[in-house]
């Protein structure tokens, strides 16, 4: 058996080589030629998996070590009888920590008292729920918006998008959906941005096209007082440099890039592969995850806006990611994947359930 996998996935050889030959390739460079004699394909979000990639192959298992699946033509896989697995929730805590650090940095820069702020969370799934836990840890007020979960009978209290617009911070945690009664493509557009509270913050760490990047740029240039912290971008890796210049923090799609998050993604595919093959999983997740020191909330975090960020900075310095991206400047399209491939090890630091 032969497995082709994205080279940015950790522990692929350690977990899969007992069962197959493993070939590692840069995710954006995986082609139909690479898959001619492959049985299994393991990818991340940068690889578009469709008929054109797979039709000449004998691939019977596709796994994506990601929480989203908009890069996968799942209908085609189902039609061809190709087994599919992905990793929902694998990096949810990593993204929640990114959001918490982002909010604390904004509060420091803008001298905001977080005890007086309300966070609007769009999307209350795996990631949004972890964001809730992170905010509750610090007793930061929040509201939730998630019409699909609300329609399914989720008993949590939900609010409208109009109510979200009046929050001090808006953070997006939805999948990218284009064809649906509830599309999320450009969910945050000109009208939404225009209705947002003056002096507020928008964080997008979901998918780039959830935010209309052109509308976001125009809104800033119109003079509206609103801050952006963006980790994801339309048309990655071809980032809109003008929009990047208008952000408070810009990062290269790394919000979920903790070591633990990456390992969970690979491990979830390993479990799915073992189940598909009828093999008993012999490795536990616990023995793969690193042991890292945890953060303890300092006293009086609300009375001193800088205090919270200063306490979090040793665990994750979001400014370093921002500086690395801005240094790329006009070459960001060429450097975007390198920044992700060579991303330094980052460990999770919150004690979340």
């Amino acid at each position: 058996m032969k497995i082709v996998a994205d080279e940015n996935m950790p522990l692929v050889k350690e977990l899969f080589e007992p069962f197959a030959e493993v070939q590692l390739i840069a995710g954006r460079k995986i082609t139909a030629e690479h898959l001619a004699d492959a049985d299994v394909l393991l990818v991340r979000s940068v690889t578009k998996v469709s008929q054109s990639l797979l039709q000449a192959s004998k691939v019977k298992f596709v796994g994506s070590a990601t929480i989203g699946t908009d890069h996968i033509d799942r209908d085609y896989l189902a039609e061809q009888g190709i087994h599919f697995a992905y990793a929902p929730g694998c990096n949810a805590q990593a993204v929640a920590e990114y959001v918490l650090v982002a909010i604390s940095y904004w509060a420091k820069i803008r001298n905001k008292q977080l005890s007086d702020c309300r966070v609007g969370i769009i999307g209350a799934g795996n990631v949004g729920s972890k964001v809730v836990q992170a905010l509750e840890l610090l007793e930061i007020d929040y509201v939730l918006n998630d019409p699909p979960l609300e329609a399914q009978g989720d008993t949590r209290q939900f609010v409208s998008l109009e109510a979200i617009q009046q929050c001090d911070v808006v953070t997006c945690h939805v999948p990218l959906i284009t064809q649906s009664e509830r599309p999320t493509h450009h969910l945050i557009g000109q009208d939404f941005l225009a209705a947002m509270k003056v002096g507020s913050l928008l964080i997008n760490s979901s998918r780039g096209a959830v935010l209309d990047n052109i509308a976001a740029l125009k809104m800033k240039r119109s003079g509206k007082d609103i801050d952006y912290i963006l980790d994801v971008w339309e048309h990655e890796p071809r980032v809109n440099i003008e929009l990047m210049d208008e952000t408070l923090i810009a990062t290269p799609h790394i919000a979920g890039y903790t070591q633990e998050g990456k390992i969970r993604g690979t491990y979830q595919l390993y479990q799915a592969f073992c189940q598909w093959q009828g093999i008993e999983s012999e490795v536990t997740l616990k023995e793969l995850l690193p042991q890292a020191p945890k953060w303890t909330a300092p006293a009086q975090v609300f009375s001193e806006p800088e205090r919270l960020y200063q306490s979090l900075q040793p665990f994750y310095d979001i400014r370093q990611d921002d500086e690395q991206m801005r240094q790329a400047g006009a070459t960001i399209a060429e450097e975007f994947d390198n920044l992700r491939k060579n991303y330094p090890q980052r460990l999770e630091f919150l004690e979340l359930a």
Side-chain angles (χ1 to χ4, degrees):
M1 182 180 293
K2 180 178 178 180
I3 296 174
V4 171
D6 186 316
E7 65 182 9
N8 281 348
M9 291 173 57
L11 301 178
V12 172
K13 289 202 170 189
E14 290 84 346
L15 289 173
F16 288 90
E17 275 196 337
F19 316 111
E21 170 195 352
V22 176
Q23 181 181 9
L24 301 179
I25 303 171
R28 288 192 206 275
K29 296 182 179 179
I30 295 174
T31 66
E33 288 71 26
H34 292 125
L35 302 179
D37 59 346
D39 304 283
V40 173
L41 172 63
L42 305 178
V43 301
R44 292 185 58 80
S45 60
V46 298
T47 305
K48 306 300 180 186
V49 180
S50 62
Q51 180 176 353
S52 61
L53 183 65
L54 296 178
Q55 63 184 351
S57 77
K58 58 175 184 174
V59 167
K60 287 301 177 184
F61 181 102
V62 171
S64 182
T66 59
I67 62 176
T69 62
D70 51 280
H71 56 298
I72 307 289
D73 186 341
R74 297 182 67 173
D75 290 338
Y76 175 75
L77 298 188
E79 290 169 5
Q80 298 302 309
I82 299 173
H83 189 86
F84 175 67
Y86 70 119
C90 66
N91 62 358
Q93 175 157 336
V95 177
E97 292 180 351
Y98 175 97
V99 169
L100 184 62
V101 172
I103 293 172
S104 70
Y105 179 75
W106 170 77
K108 169 184 176 291
I109 293 296
R110 302 303 183 213
N111 196 29
K112 300 282 187 177
Q113 297 290 342
L114 288 177
S115 56
D116 299 329
C117 291
R118 170 173 284 182
V119 178
I121 303 170
I122 303 177
N126 288 312
V127 178
S129 296
K130 286 293 183 183
V131 172
V132 166
Q133 290 182 36
L135 296 177
E136 288 181 341
L137 198 64
L138 291 170
E139 300 179 357
I140 298 174
D141 189 27
Y142 66 87
V143 289
L144 297 171
N145 170 270
D146 196 319
L149 283 182
E150 189 174 12
Q152 291 169 21
D154 191 304
T155 57
R156 288 176 289 183
Q157 184 174 355
F158 295 98
V159 301
S160 66
L161 280 180
E162 289 74 21
I164 293 287
Q165 290 165 346
Q166 298 310 305
C167 291
D168 303 279
V169 178
V170 175
T171 181
C172 302
H173 304 289
V174 296
L176 179 61
I177 301 171
T178 53
Q179 314 244 334
S180 166
E181 292 181 3
R182 296 190 179 98
T184 61
H185 181 268
H186 287 184
L187 178 67
I188 310 299
Q190 181 177 342
D191 292 344
F192 186 102
L193 294 167
M196 281 184 67
K197 189 175 179 180
V198 171
S200 61
L201 168 67
L202 172 68
I203 305 171
N204 188 18
S205 58
S206 56
R207 285 292 184 264
V210 170
L211 170 67
D212 183 338
N213 284 201
I214 297 299
L217 177 60
K218 288 180 178 179
M219 191 59 56
K220 285 292 289 186
R221 289 184 168 174
S222 73
K224 178 157 187 177
D225 179 15
I226 183 173
D227 283 316
Y228 300 142
I229 293 181
L230 303 181
D231 180 59
V232 290
W233 310 80
E234 285 196 271
H235 315 302
E236 292 175 11
R238 299 185 303 280
V239 171
N240 185 320
I241 297 176
E242 293 175 295
L243 177 59
M244 183 174 74
D245 290 341
E246 296 286 353
T247 60
L248 180 63
I249 289 286
T251 54
H253 201 152
I254 48 73
Y257 260 38
T258 59
Q259 196 66 11
E260 295 93 335
K262 292 179 182 179
I263 290 171
R264 285 191 204 98
T266 304
Y267 185 76
Q268 285 177 240
L269 298 189
Y270 163 74
Q271 287 187 305
F273 173 85
C274 288
Q275 185 175 14
W276 177 62
Q277 285 287 289
I279 302 168
E280 185 174 346
S281 171
E282 297 183 352
V283 182
T284 65
L285 179 61
K286 184 177 180 180
E287 63 190 279
L288 298 175
L289 293 177
Q291 298 300 310
K294 300 302 179 182
W295 172 80
T296 302
Q300 299 177 327
V301 291
F302 294 133
S303 60
E304 302 174 32
E306 289 193 13
R307 191 171 175 83
L308 174 60
Y309 178 71
Q310 288 172 348
S311 73
L312 293 170
Q313 189 177 11
F315 293 91
Y316 173 45
D317 190 347
I318 197 171
R319 297 179 308 169
Q320 289 186 353
D321 289 339
D322 175 76
E323 289 167 4
Q324 288 290 316
M325 185 157 172
R326 292 187 195 279
Q327 284 175 8
T331 65
I332 187 60
E334 293 76 32
E335 292 299 321
F336 194 84
D337 286 343
N338 287 333
L339 291 172
R340 303 181 79 208
K341 178 180 178 180
N342 300 312
Y343 191 67
Q345 178 173 273
R346 183 174 122 220
L347 299 176
E348 294 172 1
F349 55 84
L350 292 181
E351 294 278 11
L352 300 181

